[in-house]
Structure formats: structure tokens, C-alpha cells
Amino acid sequence: EPEVTQTPSHQVTQMGQEVILRCVPISNHLYFYWYRQILGQKVEFLVSFYNNEISEKSEIFDDQFSVERPDGSNFTLKIRSTKLEDSAMYFCASTETGQGYGYTFGSGTRLTVV
Amino acid sequence: QQQVKQSPQSLIVQKGGIPIINCAYENTAFDYFPWYQQFPGKGPALLIAIRPDVSEKKEGRFTISFNKSAKQFSLHIMDSQPGDSATYFCAAIMNRDDKIIFGKGTRLHILP
């Protein structure tokens, strides 16, 4: 079964440093997403991306965050200057049709900011 | 308005029992209600889903009950097994939207 692949599985970074989280969506999917889950809390929408531009972003997705599809396969989330409160599990997801019921999630990247 | 409230936060059930997880919503614009199952170290995976024009949906041992007037829905797991131990999230999606609104999750543990 096709998978969404995320790397790294765990990243530890110093506060103020930039991090890039990487995702390889399913090859025929056209809509890409990032969600985040702070430990013990609900999974929250960050951003959706289609046709090389952001479709929608949440209030969490401020100027410190950016997304990019640098080539035909990768989809990245960059946090420019990490804060302690950015520590969370970050999930990438993709869908073929942009419908909410067609999501496939990756296994996530656990980001720890120290 | 955009919230989905989920309870309980955690649940321990003996093997063979029927754990029940409840969710409630406010926004009547939601028109698709999926349940996700998440094992440690994995992302959420779609388990079963329902639309509000249906009162019940069964897939194997998993059943969703939906009460549109009360704006509540629940997941029942029949003949639960230790392998069902996971975190379960209810969720809601609005018509023509692709953003998932998740509940806070229920950590389920099935005792052998």
C-alpha cells in the first residue's frame, strides 16, 4: 500500500535554530498538508498546499513557518527560528482529490526544541 | 464552533469487552465524520467514517452510531482485542473543505 514517508523520525534542535522537516507524499497525490500534535493534545491543522501554493493556513502557521515543494517528490516544512513551544509531532499528509476523506498520513517527525 | 469534543481521555477494557468512545460537535456544516486509529510511532490511519444522513455504520468489529439531532457520535468496538490498543481520534470535516478537525483523542488499552 502506498505510504507517505517522513524524515527524520526524530529531530532535536536548539531554540532559535532553523529546522526542515521532509515528506514524500504518495506519488499521484496532488494535495499536501502539515498537521501538528503537541504531546497529549489533539492533532491540529497547519497548512494545505496545492499547485505549488498554499491553499489555506491556520493561525498557528505564522511567519516562522514556510512550506515548499522543491522538486517533484518532496514536500517540506521549515521553521525559521524554533521556539520551545514548537516541540510537537508533525504529520505530513496527502490526498489525491483534495477531499478530506482521502487523507494518508505519514508516521510523523517528533521535533524537540531544547 | 470548530471543535469536536471527545471523551473519555483514556479507557481500559478487558478483552472481549465493548469500549465506547463519544464525540460531540456544534457546527452543523460538518458533513463527514471519520474515526482515526493511531498506534505508537505511526500517523493516524482512517478506521471508519460516517455521513450525518446515516444513523449507524458497521465495518467488521467497529461501529459508528450517529445522532444528528444531538450532534453526537460514538465508536463501539465489538469483541475488543489487545491489538486494538491504540489512540482513537474522532474528527469532522466540513462540506467541500479538506481540513480535518480532530478531537483530543482517547487512549484505549485492552487487557489480555
Side-chain angles (χ1 to χ4, degrees):
Chain A
E1 190 167 327
E3 287 185 342
V4 173
T5 305
Q6 288 187 244
T7 56
S9 56
H10 191 191
Q11 172 119 24
V12 181
T13 189
Q14 295 256 340
M15 189 169 56
Q17 294 295 304
E18 175 183 286
V19 293
I20 297 176
L21 310 183
R22 300 181 193 280
C23 170
V24 178
I26 293 173
S27 60
N28 64 331
H29 285 188
L30 302 175
Y31 299 80
F32 314 118
Y33 309 86
W34 285 99
Y35 282 74
R36 129 183 135 174
Q37 183 181 26
I38 294 172
L39 186 65
Q41 298 190 26
K42 64 181 176 181
V43 181
E44 296 177 292
F45 169 79
L46 289 179
V47 66
S48 57
F49 189 88
Y50 171 70
N51 201 25
N52 281 320
E53 60 183 29
I54 290 174
S55 311
E56 187 176 353
K57 59 184 180 180
S58 72
E59 58 192 26
I60 302 168
F61 194 89
D62 61 22
D63 292 343
Q64 294 296 318
F65 291 88
S66 62
V67 289
E68 193 179 31
R69 188 148 162 85
D71 53 42
S73 59
N74 289 283
F75 178 52
T76 61
L77 174 70
K78 183 193 291 187
I79 309 175
R80 268 182 262 286
S81 177
T82 49
K83 307 184 194 74
L84 293 176
E85 54 265 36
D86 294 327
S87 295
M89 195 75 162
Y90 288 81
F91 292 106
C92 174
S94 67
T95 71
E96 186 177 0
T97 60
Q99 298 296 310
Y101 49 79
Y103 271 66
T104 302
F105 282 92
S107 294
T109 293
R110 179 169 298 282
L111 176 65
T112 303
V113 182
V114 298
Chain B
Q1 281 283 336
Q2 287 274 41
Q3 284 185 54
V4 178
K5 294 183 180 177
Q6 183 172 350
S7 62
Q9 202 170 6
S10 63
L11 188 55
I12 300 174
V13 173
Q14 289 280 351
K15 178 184 169 184
I18 305 176
I20 300 173
I21 304 170
N22 299 298
C23 287
Y25 65 99
E26 286 295 322
N27 194 336
T28 55
F30 290 136
D31 72 341
Y32 184 75
F33 299 88
W35 284 86
Y36 286 86
Q37 182 187 54
Q38 184 184 27
F39 292 106
K42 297 290 186 183
L46 181 63
L47 184 64
I48 185 173
I50 197 167
R51 294 200 181 274
D53 52 350
V54 175
S55 61
E56 186 178 276
K57 184 172 181 181
K58 282 186 185 180
E59 283 185 10
R61 295 183 294 107
F62 299 92
T63 299
I64 302 177
S65 299
F66 195 91
N67 185 332
K68 188 174 179 179
S69 60
K71 297 182 200 168
Q72 294 174 349
F73 57 111
S74 59
L75 177 71
H76 298 60
I77 305 175
M78 308 302 175
D79 187 28
S80 58
Q81 301 296 314
D84 297 328
S85 298
T87 299
Y88 291 82
F89 293 95
C90 63
I93 299 170
M94 247 180 277
N95 188 24
R96 290 186 295 277
D97 197 4
D98 60 350
K99 184 168 73 254
I100 302 175
I101 308 299
F102 284 91
K104 286 195 171 184
T106 297
R107 186 171 289 185
L108 174 65
H109 185 58
I110 307 297
L111 298 172

